[in-house]
Amino acid sequence: MTNPTPAPIPPSTPDTTADATADATATRTTAISIRNLKKSFGSNEVLKDISLEVATGEVVCVIGPSGSGKSTLLRCVNLLEEPTSGQVFVGADEMTDPDVDLDGVRRRIGMVFQSFNLFPHLTVLENLTVAQTKVLKRSRAQAREVARHNLERVGMAHKEDAYPAQLSGGQQQRVAIARSLSMDPELMLFDEPTSALDPELVGEVLAVMKSLAAEGMTMMIVTHEMAFAREVAHRVVFMDDGYVVEAGTAADVIGNPQEARTRSFLHRVLNPMVIDASEITDEGVADLV
Ligand SMILES: Nc1ncnc2c1ncn2[C@@H]1O[C@H](COP(=O)(O)OP(=O)(O)OP(=O)(O)O)[C@@H](O)[C@H]1O
Ligand SMILES: [Mg+2]
């Protein structure tokens, strides 16, 4: 693995201590802290007491079957979903504090989804400058400079005048990543950024994410790309049915899973043509990944 090793997460908490030095240390080394997070939609409890920390510079891949709560967990980090209980911290800011400057903290978080959500009527360059000028109040010239730098980073500088419809899915996703980077995020959340792509386009997007990881970007990535997780993640978190079932290094969780549920999931992901007899019910094949 080529990634720099992230700083260890200190056991101290960002907010509960009056000691200013401890606070400063926690702020520097803990990017995301999720504590006893629960989330229900009506009577459906989809996150059941999740606690998880992501250190600054750390890459954490979240894996697990469909419906296990991965997207909901990611969306709770920037409060796109409001947790039912528990706490979420981004740096030293508690997202779940009703008095938090939510827009201010969200500006520090980049989010990339499966669908690229580029503005179809704007060129690539304009897609990257619009939020910079509106939200960050950068001048047009400054925004264009930042945009061009980030298009360079994702290998899309030659397409700045193209419209999204003129690009492949992989190119659109790279532009979406560059747009996110143009807001200077301190951490990035990715929700299955390659799962809408044709197989031959997946690699170019993963390569961009890999280079971000090598630069030390803090990233929380929901993905089904096990080879990518194995190579790039500092830590892999396996979720099932609203719980974190197993977490550890990629070599441990993917290479040597301890829990039966992790093994069964990986078996299905890595052998998609194999269906266990136990997965076939009266209603057909149960909930495959
Ligand atoms: N806005 C919502 N309203 C009601 N139920 C929801 C909502 N969002 C998610 N859910 C439910 O929460 C559960 C977890 O969904 P979530 O999207 O987090 O799963 P996931 O692990 O991301 O799955 P996938 O791999 O298919 O993307 C599912 O049962 C889903 O139906
Ligand atoms: Mg999802």
Side-chain angles (χ1 to χ4, degrees):
M1 184 164 66
T2 52
N3 278 358
T5 306
I9 299 177
S12 60
T13 58
D15 71 324
T16 51
T17 170
D19 181 331
T21 313
D23 264 356
T25 307
T27 305
R28 206 168 48 242
T29 57
T30 306
I32 302 170
S33 179
I34 297 166
R35 301 183 196 164
N36 304 110
L37 178 66
K38 295 185 180 180
K39 172 67 183 174
S40 298
F41 293 105
S43 60
N44 184 15
E45 189 175 43
V46 302
L47 298 179
K48 303 167 178 163
D49 201 10
I50 304 271
S51 292
L52 181 67
E53 304 227 325
V54 179
T56 302
E58 191 177 27
V59 178
V60 172
C61 284
V62 181
I63 63 172
S66 180
S68 58
K70 306 179 299 294
S71 296
T72 306
L73 175 64
L74 214 59
R75 291 165 61 82
C76 281
V77 171
N78 55 7
L79 236 69
L80 285 178
E81 294 293 355
E82 196 173 340
T84 307
S85 65
Q87 292 173 300
V88 176
F89 291 85
V90 170
D93 292 297
E94 184 185 347
M95 299 299 276
T96 35
D97 179 344
D99 294 329
V100 73
D101 170 15
L102 207 50
D103 289 341
V105 185
R106 279 190 184 137
R107 277 202 280 280
R108 296 166 17 213
I109 307 172
M111 180 135 191
V112 175
F113 299 92
Q114 181 178 338
S115 54
F116 328 120
N117 300 321
L118 297 172
F119 295 117
H121 59 292
L122 299 182
T123 65
V124 163
L125 194 66
E126 288 162 350
N127 261 284
L128 265 67
T129 54
V130 63
Q132 291 189 65
T133 51
K134 287 214 164 97
V135 179
L136 301 182
K137 309 291 179 207
R138 286 181 180 151
S139 70
R140 216 170 116 79
Q142 202 183 1
R144 290 163 80 97
E145 190 183 325
V146 172
R148 288 191 169 117
H149 167 69
N150 286 308
L151 286 174
E152 199 80 53
R153 282 169 91 180
V154 303
M156 289 297 294
H158 60 301
K159 292 286 187 184
E160 68 169 53
D161 293 324
Y163 286 88
Q166 298 170 315
L167 304 177
S168 72
Q171 291 176 325
Q172 289 186 55
Q173 190 61 298
R174 281 148 65 199
V175 170
I177 293 172
R179 177 180 57 181
S180 217
L181 291 171
S182 296
M183 303 300 281
D184 293 336
E186 63 191 53
L187 64 99
M188 303 224 3
L189 309 175
F190 291 86
D191 192 355
E192 300 202 38
T194 59
S195 55
L197 300 177
D198 290 341
E200 75 271 23
L201 303 178
V202 168
E204 65 191 61
V205 173
L206 295 180
V208 166
M209 293 168 66
K210 194 173 153 188
S211 73
L212 289 179
E215 289 170 24
M217 175 65 80
T218 306
M219 302 201 278
M220 195 167 161
I221 305 168
V222 174
T223 184
H224 283 172
E225 298 291 338
M226 294 303 138
F228 171 81
R230 234 188 136 135
E231 188 181 346
V232 177
H234 295 108
R235 210 142 46 88
V236 171
V237 172
F238 171 67
M239 284 183 69
D240 191 18
D241 192 27
Y243 292 102
V244 170
V245 174
E246 193 162 350
T249 64
D252 283 344
V253 176
I254 298 177
N256 185 25
Q258 299 301 302
E259 301 290 333
R261 281 194 280 175
T262 319
R263 283 199 291 272
S264 152
F265 169 77
L266 288 168
H267 181 70
R268 286 183 309 195
V269 177
L270 300 173
N271 306 281
M273 299 305 287
V274 178
I275 298 171
D276 286 351
S278 62
E279 288 166 345
I280 302 173
T281 67
D282 290 346
E283 287 153 23
V285 179
D287 229 7
L288 297 183
V289 282

